[in-house]
Amino acid sequence: MESKEETAGAGEASLDGLPSALVATVMTKLDIASICSLASTSSVFRSCARHILSFLPSFNLLDTAPSGDMLRPLLPPNPYLTTLKLDCSRLDDSAIAFLLKPSLQDLSLHNCADFSGRLLSEIGNRCKDLRSLYLGSVAEKRGRAIHISDLEELLSGCSHLEALILMFDVSLFLRHNFARVWASASEKLTSLEIGYISSVTVTELLSPNLGSHLPSNPVQPSILPSIQKLCLNVDYITDAMIGTISKGLMFLTHLDLQDAPLIEPRVTFDLTNAGLQQINQLGRLKHLSLVRSQEFLITYFRRVNDLGLLLMADKCANMESICLGGFCRVTDTGFKTILHSCTRLYKLKVTHGTHLTDLVFHDISATSLTLTHVSLRRCNLLTNHAVLSLASNKGLKILDLRDCRSLGDEALLAIGTLPRLKVLLLDGSDITDAGLLYLRASVISSLYALSLRGCKRLTDKCITALFNGCCVLELRELDLSNLPNFSDNGVLLLAKSRIPFFELRMRQCPLVGDTAVMALASMLIDEAKHGSSLRLLDLYNCGGITALAFRWLKKPYFPRLKWLGVTGNVNIDMVVDALARSRPFLHVASHGEELGADPYDTSDGLYTHDYDDVDEFEQWLLEADIDSDFEEIGDAENNDEMVA
């Protein structure tokens, strides 16, 4: 009988016999983490990986934060590298030399808090062919700084830039020099997103008289003449800023504005009916989002009423997507005008619609609308009747009814008739276990994400109601947080379902404990293979979690886990620290923060997910009848062996 060593040797010999061209072709279809995982299994794969990294056109490690020492050998000289996307949480200015390649056309660097403004200037000097650039949290760490000259070198150096996303506070730059610097920006720039900028700076930047490109043309703006998409977080959304944007940006099709006032705005620093009347003066706008965030202050657009929406609707007949947040004085009359005027509308989001009732949707079946994305979060006057009316849109793919607390099982009965639904968010509703049975006939088989957070009447039986007897499901994201009657028994039922979840959130479930972790760690994905597909597991403030659970959170359990939420306290902090050291690329959050990026709050205020974007190698691992100890690139031993 052959020993394991002989069997392994024979397996490796057979792999070594594969044509290198065939292996290379297969590996070029995989992501970076999968290439590194394969490289740890065979000498032929390891050799192929070293070769591929020198000509691979795309490098994406957004879900892992590598150190400079680990990343350096993975980014050798490569004249073919055009796309680079990284989480830079563990990097600083010392990484600039091997990060910034002259061949890059698409660069996304997230969490750059430890970089200085030198990152911007070096991008302008080294990456002349960039078409798209994303920079997040640059110089947010204390002691780091960005100067206006850094921004100027970036804008003047990247003359082919078409899309620019600066997810940090640009109000740190000198205001009197800001417009002058942007005069050197690429005239090909069609998309601009900024993490924070003052409304006054926006108004000055886009005023036609501040530039020097086309001084003889009073209509064409001298700065940013080709912008089609503009997404800004500002201090205040004002009439003056809206007017400047609407008149100055002649080709604008996508406008996304969000403010977060620190104090209640005065009339001169607020949005009024007159400001709404100025929107879409040139008639090109397709997507509009106006949101007043309550991050710092409970505040609304108090100077806008139904008249404002009536005036706006006159110019928005061709609108396809509308997001309105914080319009507390707008009633059914205003919202209904939007639905009946914008006949091409397929995405609608209203948050904090304090006067929005069922009557808005009463006759929606009589309109020509074919809505696919609907979000009505915190619209507390809505009842089951509104959902019954909305369900006439059988093409609905996304339905967000979070914090609509009057919805019950009758709403689930209507939702159960939507065969194409991909995302269903029912946080805080009054549904029961029995009501969830209505989803099992047709909806549960199509859902990708389901959130039942805070539905207090649900118990362990909700798992049976949803999944008992179901076969192959698309469901990958499930939120069962804040359910006081959900326990370990429910998690055991979930594990038996063998659904390969990517994200499972169970925060603040007092009856969930160590048994749940053991069940998830031991669950069968198929008949022969143990292992968890989870990338995110949130157990924050679950009442039964002790140090025992952390034994099951170590390797080799949960091999794909990248985000973990737990509760930090005196007795468990040392265990959390030990886990973080043993799995350095696992993000362990112990202060109650939400894990990962919120997929439900994107720039246009609507959830967008590429449901088919599943890594091929990872899918193979989940489906194939093999014994694998897959681990992310964070396994330093495998990485050292691969690049040796």
Side-chain angles (χ1 to χ4, degrees):
M1 188 172 180
E2 289 184 332
S3 68
K4 289 184 178 180
E5 290 79 6
E6 290 170 337
T7 304
E12 183 164 328
S14 64
L15 290 174
D16 287 339
L18 291 173
S20 57
L22 173 62
V23 175
T25 300
V26 172
M27 292 184 77
T28 54
K29 304 296 183 182
L30 308 178
D31 65 9
I32 297 300
S34 300
I35 290 174
C36 294
S37 297
L38 271 181
S40 68
T41 64
S42 159
S43 60
V44 67
F45 285 170
R46 188 157 52 251
S47 174
C48 228
R50 282 199 300 266
H51 180 55
I52 284 173
L53 291 171
S54 65
F55 68 81
L56 205 66
S58 178
F59 189 102
N60 187 333
L61 267 183
L62 278 177
D63 54 1
T64 297
S67 65
D69 291 339
M70 179 170 289
L71 189 60
R72 193 186 312 272
L74 299 179
L75 287 172
N78 180 357
Y80 305 100
L81 187 66
T82 58
T83 300
L84 176 62
K85 299 182 179 182
L86 281 177
D87 183 338
C88 298
S89 301
R90 304 178 68 196
L91 304 176
D92 55 26
D93 284 356
S94 64
I96 288 176
F98 62 84
L99 282 183
L100 304 183
K101 313 286 188 183
S103 58
L104 286 173
Q105 297 183 14
D106 182 1
L107 178 61
S108 296
L109 302 178
H110 296 240
N111 302 317
C112 301
D114 213 12
F115 284 84
S116 70
R118 181 180 160 223
L119 177 63
L120 277 70
S121 59
E122 291 292 344
I123 290 173
N125 293 327
R126 296 168 181 251
C127 305
K128 302 289 187 180
D129 290 331
L130 272 186
R131 266 61 174 178
S132 175
L133 175 61
Y134 177 104
L135 294 175
S137 308
V138 178
E140 287 188 356
K141 193 168 184 177
R142 189 169 183 176
R144 307 295 186 265
I146 312 177
H147 301 290
I148 193 72
S149 58
D150 297 321
L151 178 63
E152 186 168 21
E153 288 192 55
L154 169 67
L155 295 175
S156 60
C158 299
S159 58
H160 301 290
L161 209 56
E162 298 170 6
L164 177 60
I165 303 176
L166 301 176
M167 282 294 114
F168 53 86
D169 185 355
V170 303
S171 66
L172 300 174
F173 297 126
L174 298 174
R175 211 179 86 195
H176 64 274
N177 284 331
F178 197 69
R180 176 187 59 78
V181 167
W182 281 87
S184 61
S186 166
E187 293 190 359
K188 299 176 182 178
L189 194 65
T190 60
S191 178
L192 176 63
E193 301 182 41
I194 295 180
Y196 180 80
I197 185 172
S198 73
S199 59
V200 173
T201 303
V202 176
T203 303
E204 292 178 352
L205 172 64
L206 297 177
S207 295
N209 60 342
L210 289 180
S212 58
H213 286 191
L214 297 167
S216 60
N217 188 344
V219 178
Q220 177 81 11
S222 54
I223 294 177
L224 307 177
S226 303
I227 290 293
Q228 298 174 22
K229 179 179 180 180
L230 183 66
C231 303
L232 306 173
N233 285 330
V234 297
D235 48 357
Y236 304 102
I237 297 175
T238 68
D239 288 353
M241 183 178 68
I242 289 285
T244 303
I245 291 172
S246 298
K247 295 173 185 176
L249 301 181
M250 299 181 65
F251 301 102
L252 197 66
T253 62
H254 186 128
L255 178 60
D256 184 333
L257 300 176
Q258 177 171 308
D259 68 5
L262 292 171
I263 60 173
E264 192 64 39
R266 302 190 307 272
V267 65
T268 52
F269 281 92
D270 203 4
L271 179 66
T272 70
N273 291 337
L276 282 182
Q277 189 176 10
Q278 299 180 70
I279 288 177
N280 204 26
Q281 292 289 313
L282 303 174
R284 297 178 182 267
L285 210 58
K286 302 288 186 185
H287 308 276
L288 174 66
S289 178
L290 299 172
V291 175
R292 175 147 287 175
S293 166
Q294 300 185 0
E295 181 179 359
F296 307 113
L297 181 71
I298 303 300
T299 181
Y300 301 91
F301 292 112
R302 303 184 190 278
R303 295 179 174 90
V304 173
N305 55 28
D306 291 337
L307 177 60
L309 264 65
L310 291 170
L311 295 171
M312 184 182 78
D314 286 341
K315 302 182 179 67
C316 295
N318 295 324
M319 206 80 79
E320 298 174 0
S321 168
I322 292 181
C323 173
L324 300 172
F327 288 83
C328 68
R329 295 186 61 200
V330 175
T331 71
D332 291 344
T333 301
F335 291 121
K336 203 166 186 177
T337 300
I338 294 293
L339 290 180
H340 286 263
S341 300
C342 306
T343 56
R344 299 182 182 180
L345 197 69
Y346 68 92
K347 293 184 180 182
L348 173 69
K349 178 175 181 179
V350 178
T351 58
H352 294 287
T354 54
H355 288 90
L356 185 144
T357 75
D358 299 343
L359 292 176
V360 171
F361 307 104
H362 176 68
D363 59 351
I364 194 171
S365 59
T367 70
S368 59
L369 291 177
T370 53
L371 295 173
T372 60
H373 299 55
V374 172
S375 175
L376 301 169
R377 191 176 185 187
R378 296 196 180 99
C379 297
N380 292 320
L381 298 182
L382 291 180
T383 72
N384 296 326
H385 296 294
V387 182
L388 289 170
S389 299
L390 279 169
S392 64
N393 285 269
K394 298 304 180 186
L396 273 175
K397 296 180 180 179
I398 296 173
L399 186 57
D400 181 356
L401 299 170
R402 287 178 288 175
D403 302 306
C404 296
R405 302 192 179 278
S406 298
L407 302 184
D409 291 349
E410 191 177 347
L412 289 176
L413 179 61
I415 293 169
T417 66
L418 301 173
R420 301 180 63 190
L421 201 61
K422 292 287 187 181
V423 177
L424 177 60
L425 313 177
L426 295 169
D427 300 18
S429 59
D430 196 38
I431 59 176
T432 68
D433 298 330
L436 290 174
L437 285 167
Y438 294 128
L439 301 182
R440 208 162 73 192
S442 59
V443 172
I444 196 65
S445 60
S446 67
L447 280 182
Y448 185 94
L450 173 64
S451 181
L452 303 172
R453 177 180 293 206
C455 298
K456 306 286 188 182
R457 298 177 67 186
L458 296 182
T459 69
D460 295 336
K461 294 178 181 178
C462 71
I463 303 301
T464 303
L466 283 169
F467 305 125
N468 191 35
C470 295
C471 297
V472 179
L473 297 182
E474 298 286 332
L475 194 65
R476 294 297 178 266
E477 299 174 9
L478 180 63
D479 193 337
L480 299 171
S481 300
N482 197 17
L483 302 184
N485 300 309
F486 186 75
S487 71
D488 288 341
N489 290 330
V491 182
L492 287 169
L493 292 171
L494 197 61
K496 289 179 181 178
S497 72
R498 300 182 182 178
I499 301 171
F501 291 107
F502 294 160
E503 298 186 5
L504 180 58
R505 301 172 192 264
M506 298 185 293
R507 57 169 39 216
Q508 299 193 31
C509 291
L511 303 181
V512 169
D514 296 341
T515 302
V517 177
M518 288 185 270
L520 293 171
S522 307
M523 71 182 293
L524 281 168
I525 291 178
D526 56 33
E527 293 294 341
K529 184 174 183 297
H530 285 271
S532 173
S533 56
L534 284 173
R535 299 170 182 170
L536 182 152
L537 178 61
D538 193 350
L539 300 168
Y540 176 74
N541 208 22
C542 286
I545 299 294
T546 71
L548 175 63
F550 286 84
R551 298 181 188 178
W552 294 84
L553 290 166
K554 297 178 180 178
K555 298 176 183 177
Y557 304 107
F558 299 102
R560 299 164 186 82
L561 198 63
K562 295 179 173 64
W563 291 90
L564 174 65
V566 292
T567 304
N569 57 50
V570 175
N571 297 322
I572 215 167
D573 278 348
M574 291 181 63
V575 183
V576 172
D577 291 342
L579 177 65
R581 288 194 300 272
S582 68
R583 301 187 70 165
F585 295 97
L586 173 64
H587 299 270
V588 181
S590 57
H591 300 291
E593 58 267 49
E594 291 286 348
L595 300 185
D598 184 0
Y600 311 130
D601 291 313
T602 52
S603 59
D604 67 350
L606 293 163
Y607 182 94
T608 53
H609 197 295
D610 187 354
Y611 308 108
D612 301 319
D613 186 18
V614 179
D615 170 63
E616 296 174 30
F617 181 58
E618 190 159 346
Q619 189 67 34
W620 176 60
L621 284 171
L622 294 177
E623 295 175 352
D625 186 14
I626 61 172
D627 182 22
S628 169
D629 61 346
F630 173 87
E631 178 54 80
E632 64 264 23
I633 193 175
D635 192 331
E637 294 83 7
N638 289 346
N639 181 71
D640 291 341
E641 186 180 5
M642 186 202 75
V643 298

